[in-house]
Amino acid sequence: MEYQALSHARLQRLISLTILAQKITEPGRTKISNKLISELKDSRLFLMAALGDELIGKIAANKLLILDELIPYCNVVNEGNTQAARLHFEKAALIHEAGDRMMTAIYDGKEVDDIEF
C-alpha cells in the first residue's frame, strides 16, 4: 500500500476513534456496552502501529494517552462510581486539549517536540 493511502487510512481510523470516544462520554450515560469497550480496546493496536508514522505518530501518541483514561472511565461508569468517572474524564479532556494545542502548532508549522501532554 502506498504511504499516502496508508496515512489516509490511519487518519480515518483516528476519526472513527474520536467518534467512538464521543459516544462513550455522552453526558448522562450510566452504562457502557461491552461492544463499545471492546472497540475502544481494539483501537490500542492500531494506535501502536501508527506511532511510527511521521505524519500522525504524535497524534497517535496523544490518542493512546486518552485511551489510557477512557478504558478505566468505562469500567468505573459501569460500576456506578461517578466521582472516579469524572476524574478519568477530566484527565482525558486535559490530554485532548494538549493534543489540540499540538495540532495548532503543527498547522502553524512549529516543532511539536515542545508540546507536553
Side-chain angles (χ1 to χ4, degrees), residues 10 42-53 57 60-61 64 67:
R10 287 180 172 164
D42 289 346
S43 298
R44 181 174 299 284
L45 184 59
F46 153 71
L47 291 171
M48 295 297 289
L51 286 175
D53 188 299
L64 272 169
L67 191 65

Side-chain angles (χ1 to χ4, degrees), residues 89-104:
F89 178 82
E90 288 171 357
K91 287 180 185 177
L94 288 173
I95 295 166
H96 178 73
E97 288 173 12
D100 280 349
R101 288 192 306 274
M102 176 187 64
M103 291 301 296
T104 300

Side-chain angles (χ1 to χ4, degrees), residues 12-83:
Q12 287 179 325
R13 288 285 306 266
L14 285 172
I15 292 167
S16 296
L17 176 59
T18 301
I19 292 168
L20 177 61
Q22 288 175 336
K23 284 182 190 176
I24 287 172
T25 58
E26 287 176 336
R29 185 180 278 276
T30 58
K31 180 79 171 139
I32 299 168
S33 72
N34 288 336
K35 180 183 178 218
L36 289 177
I37 294 171
S38 180
E39 286 180 40
L40 193 61
K41 288 179 179 179
D42 289 346
S43 298
R44 181 174 299 284
L45 184 59
F46 153 71
L47 291 171
M48 295 297 289
L51 286 175
D53 188 299
E54 68 179 276
L55 295 176
I56 63 171
K58 292 184 186 304
I59 299 168
N62 177 262
K63 298 298 183 192
L64 272 169
L65 293 172
I66 293 170
L67 191 65
D68 288 343
E69 292 300 328
L70 286 182
I71 292 172
Y73 168 84
C74 293
N75 295 332
V76 295
V77 164
N78 286 343
E79 293 169 0
N81 188 341
T82 56
Q83 185 175 10

